[in-house]
Amino acid sequence: MSRPIYRWAALIQIGLTLLTGCHPTQPFFVRRDESMAQYLAQSMDIEYADVQVESLPEATQAHMPLGPTNIPTEFVDLSLEDCIAMALQNTKILRVVNGANSQSGSTTAALLSAAPGQMPSIYDSALVATTANTQPLTIDSQGNRIAPRGSARANQVGGVEDALSEFDTQFSSLFGYNTTDRPRNVGPGNPFNPQQFQAVDANAQAALSKRLATGTIVTARTTTVYSRNNVLSPGVGRSVPSDYTLALELQATQPLMRGRGTLVNRIPVVLARINEDIQLHDFEANVRNLVKSVEDAYWDLYCGYRALETAQGARDSALNLWRVAADRFRIGAEGSGPEAEAQARALYKQFEAQIHTTFYGSTIPGNDPRGLYGREQLLREKIGWSPTDSRMIRPSDEPSEARVHFDWCDVHSEALLRSVELRKQKWAIKSAQLEMMSAKNQLLPQLDVTTFYRWLGVGDQLAAAHSNGIRFPNAGSNALDELVGGQYQELGMRLEFTPQAIGHRRALAGIRNRQMQLVKLQEEMREKEVFVTDNLTTAWRNMESTFISIKDYRDQLQAQTDEIKIYNDQIGSGTNALGQLADLLLRAEERKSRSQLQYYQAICEYNKSITNIHYWKGSLLDLNAITLGEGSWTDKAYWDAEERSRERAGGLYFDYGYTRPGVISNGPVVTGGQTEGNFSEPGAEFQSTNQGTPVPAVPLPEDDSDKQEEKDRPELAPPTAGKLTNHQRLTSNDSLRFGDAASSRLSDRSDVPTYRGQQALPAIVTSSGRGQPSTARPSNVHWQRR
C-alpha cells in the first residue's frame, strides 16, 4: 500500500474523532434483555430480615385498651403471692433494669431501647459459662503446644470450660512427599554428586502435646522419614537404594521463670469462674428487682382502688348535699339561695372529674398520670400478662398496718454482709488481685529448658511380618526391628532465654495499671458500703415516718368525719343558715377526701418501705420464700459426675498443705434466717382498724348512655341515686371490691396485727415456662417447703 493511502486513512480517522467526540459505550451481547431487571441503582436499603419467630399470644391477642368506651367484663382477684409466682413463671426475659437503680414504673421503654442480646434474662449465666474463644489451640511445626503469652485479664477469658480447654491434649499430624529430578554443575563420574540427581523424599509425623498446670508442655511424637536417590557408587555412595528412619520422641519444655507454677497458669480458670459468679449475682439482683417491682405495682393498684373509693364517697356526699340544696332552693326555703346550690353542684362536678381521673389517669400536672387502668396495666406488665384481655385484676390482700420494728445493728450488719451489690464488688476485687499476680509474673524473663529423648530405628524396609535379624545397612533390614531393639537412642537439651525489652516499660505499666485498678475497686467497695448504709437509713426513716403518718391521717380522718356528722345533723334539723353550713360542709368533705386518700397512700407506702428495707439488706427473696437454683442437667452429666466422684474417692489423699491459687470463696450464700423484725411490740402506739374490714363495693365507670342521659338532665335536677350503680346490672360480681381478710397474708392472731403472717408456706419457686393468664395459681409452678 502506498504512502498517500496511509496519510488519507489517518486524516479520516482524526476527522471522525473530532466530529463524533469520545464517549464510553456499553459492551454488546448476543442475548440482550432490554427490561433491565438486574439493574441496581443503590447499594443499601432498609429491608425485612427473613426470620420467623413465633409470637406470644399476650402480644398478638391483646384486646382493646380499657377506657371510657371499653369497660372490663370480668374481674380477677389475685393475692400478692399469686402475682409474684406468675411473674417468676412467665419470666424468660426479666422485665427490669440492671443494678440497684430499680424503677417502680414501666420499664418497657428502657428494654425496647436496649441493644439485641442486652436485655437481662434467665439465660445470661449459661451464656457466660459457655463463652468460648474462637481461636483453636496453637502448635508449632513439630506438634508442640505453644503457651499463651501476656497477662490474663478477666474480660479476655471465656467460661470455665473454655479456660480449662487450655490444658486439653492436642493431636496433630502431617505428611509430606517430594521428588527431585535436576542436573547439577559437576563433572562426569562424580561418585558423591551425580550430574543427573534423582531422589524421592517423604516424611510423616504424628504428635500428642499437652500443657500441664505447672506450665510444662509435654509432647509425644513419632516421625517416619523415607529417602531414595541415585547416589549408589560402591564404597562411597548409598549402601541400599532407599532407607526408612523411624523415630519415637518424648519432649518436655519447662518454664523456669515466667509462666512457671500452678499459680499463674490456673489464674485464667479462676477468672472465668469469677465471671460466672458475677453474672449469677447480676441474675439474683434482677430477680430481686422483679419481685420488688411486682410488690410496688401491687400496692399501687391497691391504692388506686382506694383512691377510687374515696372519690366515690366524696361524690356521693356532694350529691346528697346538692340534692338538699336544690330541693330547698326549689321550695324557696329561707337562707337557701342559688349560691348554695351552685357551690354544691360545683363540688359534685369536681369529685365527678376526680373519679374520671382516678379511672383513666391524666397527664395534666397535679393528677395521677396512670389512673386505675394504668396501674392495673403496669401490674400486668410485671407478671407477664397481656396489657388487656377484657378482665381486670383486683388485689385480694390487705396491706398491713402492724408496727414492725427492726434492730438497727442486726439490719445494718445483715446489709453489709448480704447485699448483692457488695458481694458482687468483692468478686471484682478478687478478680483484680489475680490479674495483678499475672501482671507481675510478666516482669520475669522467659527462661525455658527443653529436654527430649529419642528412640531411632533405620532400615531398608519400614516393617516386616516377622523379624529376620538383619541389621542396617544390610539389604532386607527393617526400621521397626531397629526401633524396638533399642540400639540407637538420643538425648538432647535446649535452654532458651528471652528477657523483657530493655527498660521493662510495658510490663511495669501493666503492673501499675492493675495496682491502680485494684485500689479503685477497693475504694468503690468502701463507698458502696456507705451507699448501702445510706439507702438502708432512708428506708428505715421512711418506714418510721409512714407509720407515724398512718396514725396522723387516721386521727385526722376521724376528726373530719365527726365534723361532717355535726354539719349533716345541723342541716337535717332544718336550720336557716344553710348557705354557711353548706360552705363549711363542702370544705369539710374536700378535706376528708384528701385525708382519706393520704391515709391509704400512707398504708401502701408503709408496706413498700418495709419491703425496701428487706431490699437493701439482701433478704427480699427470703421474705417471699424464693430460692434460686441451677436448672437440670442431662442424665449423662449426672452419670459422669458420679463416675468422677468414685474415681477421686478411690485414690490416696495427699495433703499438699496449700493450694495455688489460694481459696477465693468462703462458700455459698446462706439463705433464710433473715431479720424480719418484731411485729406490734407492747410499745406500739395503736393497732390496725383495717383488718377484716372488706373494702366497700366500687361501681364501674359510667358508659356513654349514662353520660348522654346526664347531659340531657335539667341543670338544677341532681342525678338520682339509682343512676350511680346502674352498671351493676352486668353481673352480680362486677363491683370493684376486695377479697375478705381471710384470703390475705395477714395472720389469724386476734391479739396483735402481724405482717406477712403466712409467708412460711412456699420455699422454692421454679419456673417451667410461660402459661396463659389464669385467675388461680399456675399449676406448673412448684411450691416446696424448705
Side-chain angles (χ1 to χ4, degrees):
M1 186 178 292
S2 62
R3 185 180 299 274
I5 296 177
Y6 283 110
R7 184 183 298 114
W8 284 107
L11 292 175
I12 291 173
Q13 292 178 357
I14 294 174
L16 292 174
T17 302
L18 294 177
L19 291 176
T20 60
C22 183
H23 63 278
T25 60
Q26 292 290 344
F28 294 94
F29 298 94
V30 176
R31 297 184 60 186
R32 290 183 293 178
D33 186 2
E34 301 298 338
S35 63
M36 302 296 292
Q38 307 300 325
Y39 178 74
L40 297 177
Q42 59 186 22
S43 60
M44 292 186 295
D45 198 1
I46 301 177
E47 301 177 353
Y48 289 101
D50 185 16
V51 176
Q52 298 295 330
V53 179
E54 183 180 359
S55 300
L56 294 173
E58 284 79 4
T60 58
Q61 302 177 13
H63 292 201
M64 178 181 175
L66 298 177
T69 60
N70 183 32
I71 61 177
T73 59
E74 184 183 353
F75 298 92
V76 183
D77 293 330
L78 294 180
S79 66
L80 181 56
E81 290 181 359
D82 293 334
C83 292
I84 293 177
M86 291 178 184
L88 295 174
Q89 174 199 4
N90 296 335
T91 294
K92 296 295 183 292
I93 300 298
L94 297 167
R95 295 170 291 277
V96 293
V97 294
N98 289 318
N101 186 22
S102 60
Q103 299 179 4
S104 58
S106 177
T107 59
T108 55
L111 295 179
L112 281 174
S113 60
Q118 299 302 315
M119 297 172 64
S121 69
I122 63 174
Y123 309 106
D124 294 341
S125 302
L127 288 174
V128 172
T130 55
T131 301
N133 191 347
T134 58
Q135 299 297 326
L137 302 180
T138 57
I139 58 173
D140 60 13
S141 60
Q142 295 184 344
N144 300 312
R145 277 288 316 278
I146 299 178
R149 304 292 183 180
S151 60
R153 295 291 181 91
N155 58 356
Q156 297 177 353
V157 298
V160 173
E161 291 297 320
D162 178 70
L164 289 173
S165 67
E166 280 290 335
F167 304 100
D168 292 343
T169 302
Q170 178 66 53
F171 172 78
S172 62
S173 62
L174 62 87
F175 176 78
Y177 181 81
N178 181 52
T179 62
T180 304
D181 186 10
R182 66 184 63 181
R184 294 186 175 182
N185 187 17
V186 296
N190 191 329
F192 302 100
N193 198 357
Q195 287 184 336
Q196 299 294 328
F197 181 74
Q198 296 177 342
V200 175
D201 297 291
N203 66 303
Q205 175 182 292
L208 289 173
S209 184
K210 178 179 175 59
R211 179 186 171 205
L212 305 181
T214 57
T216 307
I217 296 178
V218 180
T219 304
R221 181 172 50 247
T222 176
T223 58
T224 302
V225 179
Y226 172 76
S227 177
R228 178 185 179 90
N229 56 49
N230 58 351
V231 183
L232 296 175
S233 300
V236 294
R238 300 174 64 94
S239 176
V240 290
S242 63
D243 59 77
Y244 290 87
T245 302
L246 190 61
L248 180 62
E249 304 178 26
L250 295 178
Q251 177 177 326
T253 300
Q254 172 64 48
L256 301 180
M257 301 187 73
R258 188 196 308 170
R260 172 182 174 270
T262 57
L263 175 62
V264 296
N265 288 282
R266 288 175 176 169
I267 284 179
V269 181
V270 182
L271 291 177
R273 180 264 167 97
I274 292 177
N275 288 343
E276 295 182 6
D277 283 303
I278 291 176
Q279 183 56 49
L280 289 175
H281 282 73
D282 288 336
F283 175 70
E284 179 184 356
N286 290 328
V287 174
R288 174 202 61 181
N289 294 346
L290 177 63
V291 173
K292 184 178 184 299
S293 64
V294 171
E295 291 213 26
D296 290 344
Y298 187 87
W299 295 128
D300 287 342
L301 179 60
Y302 174 91
C303 195
Y305 276 102
R306 287 296 189 177
L308 181 61
E309 176 205 354
T310 301
Q312 182 206 3
R315 184 192 65 173
D316 293 343
S317 299
L319 175 62
N320 294 331
L321 183 59
W322 180 20
R323 186 179 296 113
V324 172
D327 291 342
R328 296 187 60 138
F329 175 69
R330 186 178 299 108
I331 64 177
E334 183 181 355
S336 301
E339 66 279 359
E341 185 276 335
Q343 188 177 12
R345 175 162 43 89
L347 185 61
Y348 169 76
K349 294 299 182 182
Q350 175 183 343
F351 287 127
E352 186 74 15
Q354 183 177 348
I355 289 179
H356 294 161
T357 302
T358 304
F359 261 116
Y360 316 125
S362 175
T363 56
I364 299 176
N367 295 327
D368 184 5
R370 290 187 175 275
L372 184 63
Y373 289 154
R375 296 182 183 212
E376 194 262 353
Q377 179 181 343
L378 179 61
L379 180 59
R380 284 173 167 271
E381 173 194 319
K382 301 302 180 182
I383 66 178
W385 280 19
S386 174
T388 51
D389 57 2
S390 300
R391 301 183 300 175
M392 194 165 182
I393 298 176
R394 192 164 45 190
S396 62
D397 284 354
E398 291 286 342
S400 174
E401 298 178 47
R403 179 72 162 99
V404 180
H405 176 73
F406 294 92
D407 183 87
W408 171 253
C409 295
D410 294 340
V411 170
H412 188 206
S413 301
E414 188 176 354
L416 295 179
L417 176 65
R418 300 189 59 184
S419 173
V420 179
E421 288 74 23
L422 298 184
R423 287 188 274 125
K424 177 182 175 181
Q425 187 71 19
K426 290 180 180 179
W427 279 117
I429 292 175
K430 176 59 67 174
S431 178
Q433 291 174 348
L434 295 175
E435 288 181 357
M436 189 172 64
M437 293 180 187
S438 179
K440 288 182 177 180
N441 185 261
Q442 298 301 308
L443 193 62
L444 300 174
Q446 188 73 44
L447 179 61
D448 298 343
V449 57
T450 301
T451 60
F452 65 88
Y453 193 80
R454 181 184 299 126
W455 286 268
L456 280 174
V458 183
D460 182 27
Q461 301 175 359
L462 178 62
H466 302 282
S467 177
N468 52 20
I470 302 176
R471 306 297 303 275
F472 187 79
N474 299 317
S477 61
N478 67 81
L480 182 59
D481 284 347
E482 295 287 331
L483 177 67
V484 175
Q487 299 295 324
Y488 309 101
Q489 302 179 20
E490 299 176 352
L491 179 66
M493 190 271 289
R494 182 176 67 253
L495 189 66
E496 299 180 9
F497 179 74
T498 306
Q500 282 281 352
I502 297 176
H504 304 81
R505 286 191 292 184
R506 177 171 296 180
L508 293 175
I511 295 175
R512 188 59 176 169
N513 178 267
R514 292 297 92 194
Q515 289 175 341
M516 297 299 296
Q517 183 68 19
L518 179 59
V519 172
K520 177 183 177 181
L521 292 174
Q522 291 173 346
E523 292 299 326
E524 285 181 354
M525 179 67 188
R526 298 185 181 97
E527 291 297 326
K528 285 187 177 182
E529 290 177 340
V530 176
F531 296 157
V532 168
T533 304
D534 180 75
N535 285 279
L536 184 63
T537 303
T538 302
W540 178 287
R541 184 169 55 252
N542 291 340
M543 181 189 66
E544 298 291 336
S545 63
T546 51
F547 180 78
I548 296 175
S549 297
I550 293 175
K551 180 180 181 302
D552 294 339
Y553 291 133
R554 174 178 171 272
D555 296 341
Q556 183 179 350
L557 180 61
Q558 185 63 45
Q560 291 167 351
T561 303
D562 296 340
E563 180 185 3
I564 292 174
K565 184 178 182 302
I566 295 174
Y567 292 149
N568 285 326
D569 293 341
Q570 293 179 1
I571 293 176
S573 63
T575 180
N576 294 330
L578 179 61
Q580 182 180 1
L581 288 176
D583 179 67
L584 295 176
L585 181 58
L586 292 175
R587 294 178 184 273
E589 287 287 353
E590 187 175 2
R591 292 194 302 271
K592 177 188 175 183
S593 174
R594 184 167 54 252
S595 298
Q596 187 176 4
L597 179 60
Q598 291 173 341
Y599 170 67
Y600 290 130
Q601 289 175 343
I603 294 177
C604 294
E605 291 300 323
Y606 176 65
N607 283 264
K608 290 162 66 175
S609 64
I610 296 176
T611 302
N612 209 26
I613 288 182
H614 286 279
Y615 178 90
W616 287 109
K617 73 187 186 71
S619 59
L620 183 58
L621 298 183
D622 291 337
L623 181 68
N624 291 276
I626 298 174
T627 58
L628 305 178
E630 188 180 47
S632 300
W633 291 76
T634 61
D635 295 338
K636 182 62 168 59
Y638 293 109
W639 178 274
D640 293 342
E642 181 181 356
E643 179 183 355
R644 182 54 58 90
S645 177
R646 294 178 180 275
E647 176 185 346
R648 292 179 176 178
L652 297 177
Y653 177 75
F654 182 76
D655 189 2
Y656 291 88
Y658 64 93
T659 179
R660 304 294 296 273
V663 177
I664 64 169
S665 173
N666 291 327
V669 176
V670 179
T671 59
Q674 80 279 2
T675 303
E676 295 186 358
N678 300 320
F679 311 132
S680 297
E681 294 177 330
E685 298 182 11
F686 75 99
Q687 293 186 358
S688 170
T689 60
N690 190 36
Q691 295 187 27
T693 304
V695 178
V698 180
L700 289 168
E702 299 179 353
D703 57 16
D704 294 338
S705 61
D706 298 309
K707 293 183 179 180
Q708 184 66 27
E709 185 178 352
E710 183 180 351
K711 181 178 180 182
D712 299 336
R713 189 179 297 119
E715 184 66 24
L716 295 180
T720 60
K723 291 296 181 181
L724 291 177
T725 58
N726 60 345
H727 287 282
Q728 293 182 357
R729 66 180 181 270
L730 293 176
T731 62
S732 60
N733 296 323
D734 276 338
S735 57
L736 304 183
R737 59 175 176 78
F738 293 87
D740 53 2
S743 61
S744 66
R745 290 189 295 177
L746 300 178
S747 174
D748 294 332
R749 293 178 58 186
S750 58
D751 51 350
V752 293
T754 60
Y755 178 73
R756 300 193 177 194
Q758 298 180 358
Q759 276 294 293
L761 290 179
I764 299 178
V765 180
T766 57
S767 174
S768 60
R770 180 184 292 266
Q772 295 296 329
S774 173
T775 59
R777 179 176 294 120
S779 59
N780 55 347
V781 175
H782 307 288
W783 304 80
Q784 245 179 321
R785 290 187 181 275
R786 184 177 289 116

